[in-house]
Amino acid sequence: MISDRKLEHLLLCTHSDVEYHKKTGFKDVELVHKALPEINKEEIDLSTSLLGKKMDAPIIITAITGGHPSSIEVNQKLAQAAGNLNIGMGLGSQRAAVENPELTSTYTVAREAAPDALLIGNIGAPQMEQALEASQMMDLDAMAIHLNPLQEAIQPEGDVDSRGYLENIKKTTEEMKIPVIAKETGAGISGNDAKLLENVGVKAIDVAGSGGTSWAAVETYRSPDKDMGELYWDWGIPTAASTVEVSQSVQIPIISSGGIRNGLEAVKALALGADAVGMALPVLKTSYLGEGALEKFFQKFMDQIKVAMFLVGASNLKQLQKTDLVIQGKTREWLTERGYNTKIYARRSSL
Amino acid sequence: MISDRKLEHLLLCTHSDVEYHKKTGFKDVELVHKALPEINKEEIDLSTSLLGKKMDAPIIITAITGGHPSSIEVNQKLAQAAGNLNIGMGLGSQRAAVENPELTSTYTVAREAAPDALLIGNIGAPQMEQALEASQMMDLDAMAIHLNPLQEAIQPEGDVDSRGYLENIKKTTEEMKIPVIAKETGAGISGNDAKLLENVGVKAIDVAGSGGTSWAAVETYRSPDKDMGELYWDWGIPTAASTVEVSQSVQIPIISSGGIRNGLEAVKALALGADAVGMALPVLKTSYLGEGALEKFFQKFMDQIKVAMFLVGASNLKQLQKTDLVIQGKTREWLTERGYNTKIYARRSSL
Amino acid sequence: MISDRKLEHLLLCTHSDVEYHKKTGFKDVELVHKALPEINKEEIDLSTSLLGKKMDAPIIITAITGGHPSSIEVNQKLAQAAGNLNIGMGLGSQRAAVENPELTSTYTVAREAAPDALLIGNIGAPQMEQALEASQMMDLDAMAIHLNPLQEAIQPEGDVDSRGYLENIKKTTEEMKIPVIAKETGAGISGNDAKLLENVGVKAIDVAGSGGTSWAAVETYRSPDKDMGELYWDWGIPTAASTVEVSQSVQIPIISSGGIRNGLEAVKALALGADAVGMALPVLKTSYLGEGALEKFFQKFMDQIKVAMFLVGASNLKQLQKTDLVIQGKTREWLTERGYNTKIYARRSSL
Amino acid sequence: MISDRKLEHLLLCTHSDVEYHKKTGFKDVELVHKALPEINKEEIDLSTSLLGKKMDAPIIITAITGGHPSSIEVNQKLAQAAGNLNIGMGLGSQRAAVENPELTSTYTVAREAAPDALLIGNIGAPQMEQALEASQMMDLDAMAIHLNPLQEAIQPEGDVDSRGYLENIKKTTEEMKIPVIAKETGAGISGNDAKLLENVGVKAIDVAGSGGTSWAAVETYRSPDKDMGELYWDWGIPTAASTVEVSQSVQIPIISSGGIRNGLEAVKALALGADAVGMALPVLKTSYLGEGALEKFFQKFMDQIKVAMFLVGASNLKQLQKTDLVIQGKTREWLTERGYNTKIYARRSSL
Ligand SMILES: Cc1cc2nc3c(=O)[nH]c(=O)nc-3n(C[C@H](O)[C@H](O)[C@H](O)COP(=O)(O)O)c2cc1C
Ligand SMILES: Cc1cc2nc3c(=O)[nH]c(=O)nc-3n(C[C@H](O)[C@H](O)[C@H](O)COP(=O)(O)O)c2cc1C
Ligand SMILES: Cc1cc2nc3c(=O)[nH]c(=O)nc-3n(C[C@H](O)[C@H](O)[C@H](O)COP(=O)(O)O)c2cc1C
Ligand SMILES: Cc1cc2nc3c(=O)[nH]c(=O)nc-3n(C[C@H](O)[C@H](O)[C@H](O)COP(=O)(O)O)c2cc1C
């Protein structure tokens, strides 16, 4: 049962260590302090617009849930917060409701709770033929196709025939009225894959790199054979590297996610070229903490973002992408070997 | 007595820490995740052919034993597994049987148990004059000449006159009907040595690099003077570096081995240019675990291989050698200093 | 109340861990030993002149206190030591006395105790309009404008409108009779910011880089929300990197400070291009140790300086800037990425 | 009293931790394994000649003692071992005997015990005017002038006027009948200093780099102020880097020493260009272990040398300098920054 698995995932992610042991790589990224910011921190403007929708901050609660009775409460809370703060929110895979329409309300509750926020639908690449129907389930601003080959490969019941996905995405982008986002779920997207996706009409990419929730980790708990999940626990392109690869490869907007846990990491991602950052696990955990917890969480997160933006002298997100940052260590090594230039960020402010 | 030493080696390797403390270097090698594999994992084809023999997977149980009564059971089990799975197997040094024909059955049991599998004979470089006779002991597909200067240098009774080996290998390749493989036993083969071996007619190279079984370690237990073995415990070219060096230097097939312990490391070796991977120590240990253990071990190993191949979008071994990988850390440093190009692997998929 | 906060800072800095966890980077800097110094250590001359004032050693007690009754004793002791040793001393921010003239004596005590030493006034960038008045509070040799955006951003009551600072510094340098120093307080100054400051008439720069006292750390103790301070605890440009950046960017004198804790680190800073080194926290702590402690502290510090100068064969500070040093590790990586040349120091002695 | 200090040094070095915490750098140097050595280990020839004297192995017991009654026994034992094995030996500083002729026999005992071995006199640079007299104290093969600015700078009674040393060495090399060696005592010699020394007529250089006995460490125990010795404990050029610097800068023979503790490190030093290796501390310690201990120590050391030489296929010391080695880590970083080429060693065997 899909919906049972959904519950299992929610519980596992909330209670067990399901995160990558290897890091996002943001520790390797150092923003260069500006002793003379020459801006007013009070006037820092985090607003942006993504896929035609205005947002008060470049933050998206990425796809988490739907399809299980318990999803209703979670999605409602997430959507209320998203609505209150005017940030983005993604639904969990809508497959359950496409296959079992009784479950539709576990998803539509989000649009009800957040009538104006950027709301993103979700369907897995193996169920791409359901994308159109899913996109019509409610008033959605975009449809995310999630790519999750790592989990599919590890879980016994996984769908491991990924042939024709690109062609299918092309068809989907053509027939769909709303823009299509391609998103990974924790193993990252390379510059090359991003280019392919852009070429078939995808309108934004959520890199969902490694360093946060690991689907190999999640499956380790669910599987009798622990070895496979443990072996692939750390598989993937670290989020910092993935963000750079994608941003140097495509023109469409980029959501950087996977292991982003505070506003400082968010600012690094944004300065590296992301148009917004996404988070799932910490948001899910916070949603259980009671009334107002999510609002407090995001408020703090935005405060943290503003501190870093102040300290590099960026009044808005566009200026942030002109500030200096240094890429060191393994992230620099990865990018250099891969042919991506790391020095272009290091002194761009004075060009 | 050679055969007593053989038993001692079996026991030591099974019960003591005989592995390198320094690593193979495969940790430095990162396969680049493909969010869009565009293949069907169920249809991944691991088959290959090596030295004219078809194999269902690019895996070889490298030389372990023979020459002691207890070798019969080990060789029989290994051969049965190799036969069942149609993978390759190497005999331990046949010197014991050449010098004492009564021991012949401790080797021939392998061919009986695996009539069709790739079966590789074995003789040490110091006994090269026995190679022809050894090659005729049964129906062998190839003859491995093993190079083991580290052990010879450390053990008191070692044969340390290695003059003329290359010339002798030349003679052996000329007079032998079956192809000759040159293999190390854990200290690795440099690109330069590989070139010399190819030039004298060797038809495949098993790099057997450092990171797995250490013959200096084994001899540390056997020797009253522990210092010498401990000092040279970590001597050698790490397997990942050795695999790259050899694959950038010769045209003949390459077996990567020495410390390969799971399918993910195997895929890295294959992606770096190896035609097959080899293992000895973990196979030996598994052989003692009872009925079916070896088959289970290799099945799991192949499953692990397929996961990585799926995640880089390779349906077969040839495609695997066109996928992207990044070489970092000490392995990159070694290769760069040695004049080998590490960047050629980093983005070759999109060329 | 400013003066209460001043006391709180003194207490916190003396009793809690308020230092960066990340290091200054001086560990990455290795002075190249000279087996043949060809100088007489007894005749090493540490004297220098800064902003027109002669000093017996290139050491400055950077801004610490003033404005609270307890500051009197501290400033008197610091000034006595500075006077006795003829080194430099900075006052803490004079804002308290500008706003409340009764507190003036907590500052002027320094000039009384050290009639001839280089004495530097201090005002924060947010209070720049008070600079002129502060500069006339006593006979000062220079006026430091301190830049402290990190603390301002972290503390709830912080002044976070930094617009126009550069323009205001320009005005201040023009109207002021004494030279203006721009100083950070622990987060460092980039080459680019240094250039901007030089262009508006600043006559010296105190880099005050990260690695020593962290104002985010200090504010962590003062704030109910510990997360913000902890997240930014290690924010900033490490002192070694900042010293190189500034020294390769401007012509005006440079004070290297932030985490300098012994004479060996001081010599590294001086060899990297600094004209003097500064210290606050260790001097403050020593000031509480009783009669003569400060003199002993600095005497030892100068002895340590002389050992390193002897071992690189430098009789004076000018020669020191021609000796060889090697920059390694993260500091090399930072500087290289930022486009600063590290090799120019490595063999300059033999040019 | 010099002779009391001599005893104190002997005791301290034997019983306390007086070694550098930072390493020689030989761990960064990897000899490239040769699977086909093509030599006979039994016939490896360690003989060499240094300063006109034949030696059976490129090993020198570097300067340790003399001048105290207890030195007699030590020097006798060392000389007997040197004589028996026909390796080199250095006397401790002869200053004590020049100033107090009664102590002469504590030195001459060495020549008596080793009539034919390479025997090297010793005088400190501060006592260079005693060099001629010292050189005539017995039949010496060479005279070492030791440079020890680190110890002189740390010890309270140190002679820290090093002006004119180079000029004095020039005079000494001219008036002396026997060749002059310049040696450090643990802080290393740079390429530049080596060049200067060669230019004034020095006939060999003992780099005595850092990584072994630290004279700052020794003085830490002797001094009431522990801080100074601790601060400079790790001062100096690591032995591996110093060996490369000197060997790429001069034509005269090089003794590599400072922290060499086994035959594998010795082979690395020799492969990097040294003509012999030197050791003091471990030899001193062994000399107390009773009859035959020194001979056993050196025998084992030479056995270790031969293993590595065998494994890189070098039959003699000249061939060793054509074998491949890889320089990694901090040693590579040091040398690259300093403008020395590390790649010339990496594949020289196949040129
Ligand atoms: C409980 C849970 C359920 C998820 N379900 C979906 C999903 O249905 N569809 C999807 O695209 N991603 C799903 N994700 C992945 C997230 O959207 C996100 O890409 C990934 O967790 C990495 O971000 P994080 O490290 O901030 O958690 C899920 C994540 C979690 C933790
Ligand atoms: C018990 C044992 C016996 C071995 N005997 C031989 C042998 O006779 N001939 C040979 O070529 N290699 C021999 N080897 C070496 C292996 O074939 C292999 O090259 C080496 O162990 C490295 O692989 P591993 O790390 O997977 O063990 C032996 C290895 C082991 C563990
Ligand atoms: C208790 C204390 C008070 C300080 N007050 C001031 C100040 O009023 N003005 C200023 O420019 N810097 C002030 N500083 C910063 C220091 O001058 C110095 O830049 C910084 O502490 C880094 O140096 P350190 O690591 O040696 O402490 C203060 C530092 C301390 C520890
Ligand atoms: C106890 C002792 C006494 C020494 N005395 C002298 C000396 O008189 N003259 C000298 O040139 N070096 C002297 N040295 C330095 C050694 O010759 C050598 O350069 C240094 O110890 C580094 O080598 P090691 O790490 O193998 O000890 C002495 C070393 C020791 C341990």
Side-chain angles (χ1 to χ4, degrees):
Chain A
M1 280 296 307
I2 308 175
S3 82
D4 284 357
R5 202 168 68 214
K6 287 271 152 192
L7 179 60
E8 206 180 341
H9 282 162
L10 283 186
L11 293 174
L12 267 171
C13 287
T14 322
H15 298 300
S16 307
D17 166 27
V18 296
E19 295 192 85
Y20 277 82
H21 300 141
K22 94 176 173 193
K23 301 294 176 226
T24 58
F26 286 120
K27 272 264 153 72
D28 291 334
V29 178
E30 295 264 10
L31 300 166
V32 179
H33 175 67
K34 229 172 175 165
L36 288 160
E38 289 285 324
I39 64 165
N40 184 353
K41 176 165 171 277
E42 305 291 348
E43 291 176 8
I44 289 175
D45 178 9
L46 296 184
S47 74
T48 188
S49 77
L50 196 67
L51 303 167
K53 197 99 181 195
K54 296 226 156 157
M55 300 165 70
D56 286 354
I59 301 172
I60 296 169
I61 302 169
T62 59
I64 295 176
T65 196
H68 185 274
S70 74
S71 305
I72 299 191
E73 210 189 319
V74 177
N75 270 339
Q76 190 176 36
K77 283 186 185 171
L78 299 179
Q80 265 163 1
N84 288 341
L85 300 162
N86 193 27
I87 59 174
M89 167 174 172
L91 299 170
S93 166
Q94 293 169 255
R95 175 187 182 182
V98 171
E99 296 181 1
N100 181 359
E102 279 174 37
L103 296 167
T104 304
S105 64
T106 64
Y107 298 91
T108 50
V109 61
R111 181 43 96 204
E112 285 151 27
D116 299 317
L118 173 77
L119 189 66
I120 304 168
N122 191 286
I123 204 78
Q127 292 82 41
M128 228 158 341
E129 71 287 354
Q130 307 177 346
L132 191 62
E133 195 180 331
S135 77
Q136 293 159 344
M137 202 176 280
M138 76 203 85
D139 171 30
L140 293 170
D141 298 294
M143 189 69 202
I145 309 291
H146 75 247
L147 308 167
N148 198 359
L150 175 59
Q151 187 188 20
E152 304 287 358
I154 302 282
Q155 71 182 351
E157 71 268 41
D159 185 330
V160 291
D161 184 358
S162 72
R163 286 171 306 173
Y165 279 9
L166 207 55
E167 191 54 35
N168 290 343
I169 295 177
K170 188 159 185 248
K171 276 190 219 130
T172 305
T173 62
E174 285 165 358
E175 73 186 13
M176 190 89 73
K177 295 241 174 62
I178 53 175
V180 169
I181 298 174
K183 85 180 276 291
E184 240 289 341
T185 56
I189 290 184
S190 69
N192 197 45
D193 278 348
K195 192 89 208 117
L196 295 174
L197 290 163
E198 184 183 42
N199 287 345
V200 297
V202 160
K203 290 287 176 290
I205 285 174
D206 179 345
V207 305
S210 58
T213 307
S214 162
W215 286 97
V218 173
E219 293 305 322
T220 304
Y221 294 101
R222 296 185 60 231
S223 167
D225 169 14
K226 306 292 176 211
D227 289 356
M228 187 66 90
E230 272 165 18
L231 185 59
Y232 285 92
W233 192 292
D234 271 343
W235 176 273
I237 308 174
T239 303
S242 183
T243 304
V244 173
E245 288 213 356
V246 175
S247 95
Q248 291 193 14
S249 305
V250 299
Q251 305 299 323
I252 51 176
I254 298 160
I255 300 158
S256 177
S257 74
I260 289 184
R261 298 294 176 258
N262 58 56
L264 177 52
E265 288 163 353
V267 172
K268 291 176 180 182
L270 296 164
L272 285 171
D275 299 89
V277 299
M279 280 177 289
L281 190 62
V283 182
L284 172 62
K285 286 180 177 169
T286 305
S287 75
Y288 294 118
L289 299 185
E291 192 74 16
L294 281 167
E295 278 80 0
K296 238 183 265 168
F297 171 85
F298 284 112
Q299 209 56 67
K300 197 163 164 175
F301 193 88
M302 287 186 280
D303 282 351
Q304 294 174 343
I305 288 181
K306 285 180 183 170
V307 169
M309 284 181 69
F310 177 64
L311 295 173
V312 297
S315 281
N316 56 49
L317 299 176
K318 213 169 147 192
Q319 285 176 12
L320 182 55
Q321 300 200 348
K322 294 274 168 220
T323 58
D324 296 345
L325 57 84
V326 181
I327 304 179
Q328 297 174 301
K330 278 193 85 167
T331 302
R332 188 183 61 73
E333 213 180 356
W334 172 288
L335 291 168
T336 305
E337 286 292 297
R338 292 271 288 164
Y340 294 95
N341 190 340
T342 57
K343 292 199 182 175
I344 54 172
Y345 309 96
R347 263 169 102 170
R348 61 186 170 180
S349 75
S350 49
L351 295 182
Chain B
M1 279 296 307
I2 308 175
S3 82
D4 284 357
R5 201 167 69 214
K6 287 272 153 191
L7 180 60
E8 207 179 342
H9 282 162
L10 283 186
L11 293 174
L12 268 171
C13 287
T14 322
H15 298 301
S16 307
D17 167 26
V18 295
E19 297 192 85
Y20 277 82
H21 299 140
K22 94 176 173 193
K23 301 295 177 226
T24 58
F26 286 119
K27 272 264 154 71
D28 291 335
V29 178
E30 294 264 11
L31 300 166
V32 179
H33 175 68
K34 229 172 176 165
L36 287 161
E38 288 285 325
I39 64 165
N40 184 353
K41 177 166 170 277
E42 305 291 348
E43 290 176 10
I44 288 175
D45 178 9
L46 296 184
S47 74
T48 189
S49 78
L50 197 66
L51 302 168
K53 197 99 179 195
K54 297 224 153 159
M55 300 166 71
D56 286 355
I59 301 172
I60 295 169
I61 302 167
T62 59
I64 296 175
T65 197
H68 186 275
S70 74
S71 306
I72 298 191
E73 210 188 318
V74 177
N75 271 339
Q76 192 176 34
K77 284 185 184 170
L78 299 179
Q80 264 162 3
N84 287 342
L85 300 162
N86 193 27
I87 59 174
M89 167 174 172
L91 299 170
S93 167
Q94 293 169 254
R95 176 187 182 182
V98 172
E99 295 181 0
N100 181 357
E102 278 174 37
L103 296 167
T104 305
S105 64
T106 64
Y107 298 92
T108 50
V109 61
R111 181 43 95 202
E112 284 152 27
D116 299 318
L118 173 78
L119 189 66
I120 303 167
N122 192 285
I123 206 78
Q127 293 81 42
M128 228 159 339
E129 72 287 356
Q130 306 177 346
L132 191 62
E133 196 180 328
S135 78
Q136 293 159 347
M137 202 176 281
M138 75 204 85
D139 172 29
L140 293 170
D141 297 295
M143 189 69 203
I145 309 291
H146 75 247
L147 308 167
N148 199 359
L150 176 58
Q151 187 189 20
E152 304 287 356
I154 303 282
Q155 71 183 351
E157 71 268 38
D159 185 329
V160 291
D161 184 358
S162 72
R163 288 171 305 173
Y165 279 9
L166 207 56
E167 191 53 37
N168 289 344
I169 294 177
K170 188 160 184 246
K171 277 191 218 129
T172 304
T173 62
E174 285 165 359
E175 72 186 13
M176 191 88 74
K177 295 241 174 61
I178 52 176
V180 169
I181 299 173
K183 85 181 276 290
E184 241 289 341
T185 55
I189 290 184
S190 70
N192 197 44
D193 278 348
K195 192 89 208 116
L196 295 175
L197 289 162
E198 184 183 42
N199 287 345
V200 296
V202 160
K203 291 286 176 291
I205 285 173
D206 179 344
V207 305
S210 58
T213 307
S214 162
W215 286 97
V218 173
E219 293 305 321
T220 304
Y221 295 101
R222 296 185 61 230
S223 167
D225 169 15
K226 305 293 176 210
D227 289 356
M228 187 66 90
E230 273 164 17
L231 185 59
Y232 285 92
W233 191 293
D234 272 343
W235 176 273
I237 309 173
T239 302
S242 183
T243 302
V244 172
E245 288 213 357
V246 176
S247 94
Q248 291 193 15
S249 305
V250 298
Q251 304 300 323
I252 51 176
I254 297 160
I255 301 158
S256 177
S257 74
I260 289 184
R261 299 294 177 258
N262 58 55
L264 177 52
E265 287 163 353
V267 172
K268 291 175 178 181
L270 296 164
L272 284 172
D275 298 90
V277 299
M279 280 176 289
L281 190 62
V283 182
L284 172 62
K285 286 181 177 169
T286 305
S287 76
Y288 293 119
L289 298 186
E291 192 74 15
L294 281 167
E295 277 79 0
K296 239 182 263 167
F297 172 86
F298 283 114
Q299 209 56 67
K300 198 164 163 175
F301 194 88
M302 287 185 281
D303 283 352
Q304 294 174 342
I305 287 181
K306 284 181 183 168
V307 168
M309 284 181 69
F310 177 64
L311 295 173
V312 297
S315 281
N316 55 50
L317 299 176
K318 213 168 145 192
Q319 286 177 12
L320 182 55
Q321 300 200 347
K322 294 273 169 219
T323 58
D324 296 346
L325 58 85
V326 181
I327 303 179
Q328 298 174 302
K330 277 193 85 167
T331 303
R332 189 182 61 72
E333 212 180 357
W334 172 288
L335 291 168
T336 305
E337 285 292 297
R338 291 272 288 164
Y340 294 95
N341 191 340
T342 57
K343 292 201 181 174
I344 54 173
Y345 309 96
R347 263 169 101 171
R348 60 186 170 181
S349 77
S350 49
L351 296 181
Chain C
M1 280 296 307
I2 308 176
S3 82
D4 285 356
R5 202 169 68 215
K6 288 271 153 193
L7 180 59
E8 206 179 342
H9 282 162
L10 282 186
L11 293 173
L12 267 170
C13 288
T14 322
H15 298 301
S16 307
D17 167 26
V18 295
E19 296 193 85
Y20 277 82
H21 299 140
K22 93 177 174 192
K23 301 294 176 227
T24 57
F26 287 121
K27 272 264 153 71
D28 291 334
V29 178
E30 294 264 11
L31 300 166
V32 179
H33 174 67
K34 230 174 177 162
L36 288 161
E38 290 284 326
I39 64 165
N40 184 352
K41 177 165 170 277
E42 305 290 348
E43 291 177 9
I44 288 175
D45 178 10
L46 296 184
S47 74
T48 189
S49 78
L50 197 67
L51 303 167
K53 196 99 180 195
K54 297 226 154 157
M55 300 165 71
D56 286 353
I59 301 173
I60 295 168
I61 302 168
T62 59
I64 296 177
T65 197
H68 186 273
S70 74
S71 306
I72 298 192
E73 210 190 319
V74 177
N75 271 338
Q76 190 176 36
K77 283 186 185 170
L78 299 179
Q80 264 162 2
N84 288 341
L85 299 162
N86 193 27
I87 59 175
M89 166 174 172
L91 299 169
S93 166
Q94 294 169 255
R95 175 188 183 182
V98 172
E99 296 180 359
N100 180 357
E102 279 175 37
L103 295 167
T104 305
S105 64
T106 65
Y107 298 91
T108 51
V109 61
R111 181 44 95 205
E112 286 152 26
D116 300 317
L118 173 78
L119 189 65
I120 303 167
N122 192 285
I123 205 77
Q127 292 81 42
M128 229 157 340
E129 73 285 356
Q130 306 177 346
L132 190 63
E133 195 179 331
S135 77
Q136 294 159 345
M137 201 175 280
M138 75 203 86
D139 172 29
L140 293 169
D141 298 295
M143 189 69 202
I145 309 291
H146 75 248
L147 308 167
N148 198 1
L150 175 59
Q151 187 189 19
E152 304 287 358
I154 303 283
Q155 71 183 351
E157 72 268 40
D159 185 330
V160 291
D161 184 358
S162 71
R163 287 171 305 173
Y165 280 8
L166 207 56
E167 191 53 36
N168 289 344
I169 294 177
K170 187 159 184 247
K171 277 192 218 128
T172 305
T173 63
E174 285 164 359
E175 72 187 12
M176 190 89 73
K177 295 241 176 61
I178 52 176
V180 168
I181 299 174
K183 85 180 278 289
E184 241 288 342
T185 56
I189 289 184
S190 69
N192 197 46
D193 278 349
K195 191 90 208 115
L196 295 174
L197 289 163
E198 184 182 42
N199 287 345
V200 296
V202 160
K203 290 287 176 290
I205 286 173
D206 179 345
V207 305
S210 59
T213 306
S214 161
W215 286 96
V218 173
E219 292 306 321
T220 304
Y221 295 101
R222 296 186 61 231
S223 168
D225 169 14
K226 304 292 175 212
D227 290 355
M228 187 66 91
E230 272 164 18
L231 185 59
Y232 286 92
W233 192 292
D234 272 342
W235 176 274
I237 308 174
T239 303
S242 183
T243 303
V244 172
E245 288 212 357
V246 176
S247 94
Q248 291 192 13
S249 305
V250 299
Q251 305 299 323
I252 52 176
I254 299 160
I255 300 158
S256 176
S257 74
I260 290 183
R261 297 295 176 257
N262 58 55
L264 177 53
E265 288 164 353
V267 172
K268 291 175 179 182
L270 296 164
L272 285 171
D275 299 89
V277 299
M279 280 177 290
L281 189 62
V283 181
L284 173 62
K285 286 181 178 170
T286 305
S287 76
Y288 294 118
L289 299 186
E291 191 75 16
L294 281 167
E295 278 79 0
K296 238 183 265 167
F297 172 85
F298 284 113
Q299 210 56 67
K300 198 164 164 173
F301 194 88
M302 288 185 280
D303 283 351
Q304 294 173 344
I305 287 181
K306 284 181 184 168
V307 168
M309 284 181 68
F310 176 64
L311 295 173
V312 297
S315 282
N316 55 50
L317 299 176
K318 213 169 146 193
Q319 286 177 11
L320 181 56
Q321 299 201 348
K322 295 273 169 219
T323 59
D324 297 346
L325 57 84
V326 181
I327 303 179
Q328 299 175 301
K330 278 192 87 167
T331 303
R332 189 183 60 73
E333 211 179 358
W334 172 289
L335 291 169
T336 305
E337 286 292 298
R338 291 271 288 164
Y340 295 95
N341 190 340
T342 57
K343 292 200 182 176
I344 54 173
Y345 309 96
R347 264 168 100 170
R348 61 187 169 180
S349 77
S350 49
L351 296 180
Chain D
M1 280 295 306
I2 308 175
S3 83
D4 284 357
R5 203 168 69 214
K6 287 272 153 192
L7 180 60
E8 206 180 341
H9 283 161
L10 283 186
L11 292 173
L12 267 171
C13 288
T14 321
H15 299 300
S16 307
D17 167 26
V18 295
E19 296 192 86
Y20 277 82
H21 299 141
K22 93 175 175 194
K23 302 294 176 227
T24 58
F26 286 120
K27 271 264 153 71
D28 290 335
V29 179
E30 293 264 10
L31 300 167
V32 179
H33 174 67
K34 229 174 177 164
L36 289 160
E38 289 285 325
I39 64 164
N40 184 352
K41 178 166 169 277
E42 305 291 349
E43 291 176 10
I44 288 175
D45 178 10
L46 296 183
S47 74
T48 189
S49 78
L50 197 67
L51 304 167
K53 196 97 178 196
K54 297 225 153 156
M55 301 166 71
D56 286 353
I59 301 172
I60 295 169
I61 302 168
T62 60
I64 296 175
T65 197
H68 186 274
S70 74
S71 306
I72 299 192
E73 210 189 319
V74 176
N75 271 338
Q76 190 176 34
K77 283 186 185 169
L78 299 179
Q80 265 162 2
N84 288 341
L85 299 163
N86 193 28
I87 59 175
M89 166 174 173
L91 299 171
S93 166
Q94 293 169 254
R95 176 188 182 182
V98 172
E99 296 181 359
N100 181 357
E102 278 174 38
L103 295 167
T104 304
S105 64
T106 64
Y107 299 91
T108 50
V109 60
R111 182 43 96 204
E112 284 151 28
D116 300 317
L118 173 78
L119 189 65
I120 303 167
N122 191 286
I123 205 78
Q127 292 82 40
M128 228 159 337
E129 71 287 355
Q130 306 177 346
L132 191 62
E133 195 181 330
S135 77
Q136 293 159 345
M137 202 176 279
M138 75 202 87
D139 172 28
L140 292 170
D141 298 294
M143 190 69 201
I145 309 292
H146 75 248
L147 308 167
N148 198 1
L150 176 58
Q151 187 188 20
E152 304 288 357
I154 303 283
Q155 70 183 351
E157 71 268 39
D159 184 331
V160 291
D161 184 357
S162 72
R163 287 171 304 173
Y165 280 8
L166 207 55
E167 191 54 35
N168 290 343
I169 294 177
K170 187 159 185 248
K171 277 191 220 129
T172 305
T173 63
E174 285 165 359
E175 73 186 12
M176 190 90 73
K177 295 242 174 61
I178 54 175
V180 168
I181 299 174
K183 84 180 279 290
E184 242 287 343
T185 56
I189 290 184
S190 70
N192 197 45
D193 278 348
K195 192 88 209 118
L196 295 175
L197 289 162
E198 184 183 42
N199 287 346
V200 296
V202 160
K203 291 286 176 290
I205 285 173
D206 179 345
V207 305
S210 58
T213 307
S214 162
W215 287 97
V218 173
E219 293 306 322
T220 305
Y221 295 100
R222 296 185 61 229
S223 167
D225 169 14
K226 305 293 175 210
D227 289 356
M228 187 66 89
E230 272 164 17
L231 185 58
Y232 286 92
W233 191 292
D234 272 342
W235 176 273
I237 309 173
T239 303
S242 183
T243 303
V244 172
E245 288 213 356
V246 176
S247 94
Q248 291 192 16
S249 304
V250 299
Q251 305 300 323
I252 51 175
I254 298 159
I255 299 159
S256 177
S257 74
I260 289 184
R261 298 294 176 258
N262 58 55
L264 177 53
E265 288 163 352
V267 172
K268 291 176 179 181
L270 296 164
L272 285 172
D275 299 274
V277 299
M279 279 177 291
L281 190 61
V283 181
L284 173 62
K285 286 182 177 169
T286 305
S287 76
Y288 293 119
L289 299 185
E291 191 75 16
L294 281 167
E295 278 79 0
K296 236 183 265 168
F297 172 85
F298 284 113
Q299 209 57 68
K300 198 163 163 175
F301 194 88
M302 287 186 280
D303 283 351
Q304 294 173 344
I305 287 181
K306 285 181 183 169
V307 168
M309 284 181 69
F310 177 64
L311 294 173
V312 297
S315 282
N316 55 50
L317 300 175
K318 213 169 146 194
Q319 286 177 11
L320 182 55
Q321 300 201 346
K322 295 273 169 218
T323 58
D324 296 346
L325 57 85
V326 181
I327 302 179
Q328 299 174 302
K330 278 192 84 168
T331 303
R332 187 182 62 72
E333 212 179 359
W334 172 287
L335 291 169
T336 306
E337 286 293 298
R338 290 272 288 165
Y340 294 95
N341 191 339
T342 57
K343 292 201 181 175
I344 54 172
Y345 308 96
R347 264 169 100 170
R348 60 185 170 180
S349 76
S350 49
L351 296 182

